[in-house]
Amino acid sequence: MDSLNVQFNVAVLTVPHFVTPEDFPRWLQHETHALQDLAADNSLIIVRLFLDKRIKDALTRKTLDVLLQETTNKYPHIFRMEMVVIEDELENDEIEWIQSDAEHELAELLQTVEKFQEQKIARGKLH
């Protein structure tokens, strides 16, 4: 069986408290540009953006949607952006736990995909 030739990664971004709603688009651009630059040729990144409620409340939903869509359009290694609104800035141990949990979730998903491929190949050999 040919395994997937793509490496998926999850990146957790938390908006620092000093970033204002006006600064947020520039901050997001800077962070996602850095992720793109660090990505390997065969990698895709799922970004989990933990956005402070104060920023979400200051921007319209359409503005946020456009920013996220523009990011995935501009950077080919960024596969998807998921936004989670939070009340307070996350602590480092919370960020580490979220990163670990996301990587575990991704590993389970990739196992499911591989099992599906194996089943598909096995069915093909029976016919």
Side-chain angles (χ1 to χ4, degrees), residues 61-73:
R61 180 180 178 106
K62 183 175 182 175
T63 299
L64 287 170
D65 288 345
V66 167
L67 282 170
L68 299 181
Q69 187 61 52
E70 284 177 349
T71 300
T72 56
N73 290 345

Side-chain angles (χ1 to χ4, degrees), residues 97-122:
W97 181 85
I98 290 167
Q99 183 74 37
S100 174
D101 187 55
E103 289 171 1
H104 177 73
E105 184 181 317
L106 185 57
E108 287 179 347
L109 176 63
L110 292 175
Q111 267 187 332
T112 302
V113 169
E114 287 178 4
K115 285 180 185 178
F116 175 76
Q117 285 182 324
E118 289 170 0
Q119 291 172 351
K120 189 174 177 182
I121 290 170

Side-chain angles (χ1 to χ4, degrees), residues 85-100:
V85 179
I86 57 175
E87 294 289 330
D88 296 313
E89 193 170 356
L90 297 174
E91 301 292 327
N92 283 339
D93 60 335
E94 292 173 307
I95 294 169
E96 289 173 9
W97 181 85
I98 290 167
Q99 183 74 37
S100 174

Side-chain angles (χ1 to χ4, degrees), residues 10-35:
V10 177
V12 175
L13 292 180
T14 59
V15 183
H17 191 68
F18 62 83
V19 173
T20 66
E22 296 78 25
D23 294 336
F24 174 69
R26 190 170 39 257
W27 176 87
L28 182 63
Q29 165 75 18
H30 178 267
E31 295 297 314
T32 52
H33 182 80
L35 289 173

